[in-house]
Amino acid sequence: MKKITGIFLSMLFAVTLAACGAKAPAGEDVKEETKTEDVNDEKMEEKKDDKTSAKTDLNVFAAASMTESLEELKAVFEEENPDLNLVFNFDSSGTLKTQIAEGADCDVFISAAKKQMDELDPTSDTKDSDITIDPSTRFDLLENEVTLAVKEDSRKEIESFDDINTDKVETIALGNADVPVGQYSESLLKNMGVWDDIQDKITFGSNVKEVTSWVSEGAVDCGIIYSTDAKAAGLKIVDTANPDMLDKKVIYPAATLDKSAKKEACEKFLSFLNSDKANEVFSQYGFKPAS
């Protein structure tokens, strides 16, 4: 009887021990749960990455004077088109046109003058590039104004374009000859009959933002820039050019590049630029609808 009892107790102990061994220590349970959570987190990150990579980049080359307005419109457009991502390249229209002609990856071009757009237009007599826009998508988007601007706290008492050729102005910043704002400035000053007389006063900038920066920093007494740039930089506009004194209106044409493989996305963006939402933002920065 004692022998049987002993055997029974031994078997009971073995069963109990096996049951205890089958259960993992508490620490191992936590590790397993943590491992599972890490895997789930990785899957979620992969889904986020997939969603981001699924977005199509739309490369927009736009005149530097459109920087603030288009940056603000970017969020609005992308919210309405979550599959698209706007990638901007802002510079002088002349520089952008050259980059496009040399093969830069561009889908939409917005110039600050018709000249640069014409040079990419296969229907234009001044076309000079093998890479061209799709002329069926081209339209005049906006109009700007040429202004004489000074720092808000300027003590120079500069009040009009006529003051440029007086002792009130010792230094003035203008855009280069290959920059639309520089071309408008030159035509204005030549039509005023003062171009040759003020050459010693001029400092030339590579684009309108550089000219604007020099005026803001007080590096020059004044500068000829667009109304939109003066307002964005908080400068004081002392005079606005009469359109009759310019050789051409300050028109901003827009178009899709013929080589773009994203024609549908380009059409969406150009259509958006013509929307009431976009026009409201453009007007806040001083632009007017092209007329």
Side-chain angles (χ1 to χ4, degrees):
M1 185 70 180
K2 287 182 180 180
K3 185 177 181 180
I4 294 175
T5 301
I7 293 172
F8 175 75
L9 290 174
S10 296
M11 290 177 63
L12 181 62
F13 177 75
V15 170
T16 303
L17 184 62
C20 291
K23 187 175 181 180
E28 291 183 11
D29 283 342
V30 173
K31 289 181 181 179
E32 186 64 31
E33 288 174 4
T34 303
K35 184 177 181 181
T36 302
E37 289 175 0
D38 290 342
V39 171
N40 289 336
D41 288 342
E42 288 176 5
K43 288 182 177 179
M44 288 179 69
E45 288 298 325
E46 287 176 3
K47 287 182 179 179
K48 289 181 181 178
D49 291 340
D50 290 342
K51 187 176 180 181
T52 301
S53 61
K55 297 185 74 171
T56 299
D57 286 343
L58 192 65
N59 298 306
V60 179
F61 283 34
S65 51
M66 300 189 72
T67 302
E68 293 82 8
S69 56
L70 285 183
E71 287 289 6
E72 183 171 334
L73 286 170
K74 173 180 168 71
V76 180
F77 177 77
E78 291 180 355
E79 184 177 357
E80 294 180 359
N81 301 274
D83 59 325
L84 297 177
N85 178 49
L86 294 178
V87 179
F88 292 125
N89 178 21
F90 295 110
D91 210 320
S92 73
S93 300
T95 297
L96 296 176
K97 178 264 169 180
T98 299
Q99 291 174 351
I100 292 170
E102 291 176 349
D105 188 5
C106 173
D107 298 300
V108 173
F109 179 38
I110 310 175
S111 173
K114 292 186 177 183
K115 178 180 183 294
Q116 288 75 23
M117 190 67 76
D118 287 344
E119 292 170 349
L120 296 174
D121 192 332
T123 66
S124 170
D125 293 336
T126 59
K127 169 188 167 294
D128 65 3
S129 169
D130 292 331
I131 295 176
T132 62
I133 61 165
D134 177 353
S136 68
T137 66
R138 178 177 176 172
F139 67 99
D140 291 339
L141 175 63
L142 300 167
E143 184 175 345
N144 212 336
E145 294 178 314
V146 174
T147 66
L148 181 64
V150 300
K151 287 184 66 175
E152 187 65 41
D153 59 355
S154 173
R155 297 180 180 179
K156 285 289 185 174
E157 298 183 355
I158 301 169
E159 299 176 347
S160 73
F161 285 108
D162 292 331
D163 290 333
I164 294 174
N165 197 26
T166 69
D167 293 338
K168 290 182 180 180
V169 175
E170 295 178 14
T171 55
I172 181 172
L174 306 178
N176 284 331
D178 63 340
V179 180
V181 72
Q183 294 158 7
Y184 293 128
S185 301
E186 184 174 341
S187 69
L188 170 65
L189 295 170
K190 282 184 175 179
N191 289 334
M192 289 176 59
V194 300
W195 176 252
D196 294 333
D197 298 331
I198 65 168
Q199 290 302 301
D200 292 341
K201 300 182 179 184
I202 302 174
T203 299
F204 290 101
S206 60
N207 58 51
V208 71
K209 290 301 181 187
E210 186 168 34
V211 175
T212 302
S213 176
W214 288 339
V215 179
S216 298
E217 295 167 359
V220 291
D221 297 332
C222 59
I224 296 181
I225 57 178
Y226 298 124
S227 169
T228 51
D229 293 282
K231 291 177 180 178
L235 297 177
K236 181 180 178 181
I237 296 175
V238 296
D239 202 0
T240 300
N242 185 325
D244 293 337
M245 293 295 287
L246 302 175
D247 293 341
K248 297 178 181 178
K249 278 187 172 183
V250 187
I251 299 295
Y252 287 57
T256 296
L257 268 292
D258 191 48
K259 67 170 185 163
S260 175
K262 309 164 189 172
K263 295 294 177 64
E264 186 177 345
C266 292
E267 184 179 352
K268 284 183 180 180
F269 181 61
L270 291 179
S271 177
F272 169 76
L273 293 180
N274 264 325
S275 69
D276 291 339
K277 285 183 180 179
N279 284 326
E280 184 178 341
V281 172
F282 285 138
S283 63
Q284 290 173 0
Y285 284 93
F287 287 107
K288 299 185 295 184
S291 56

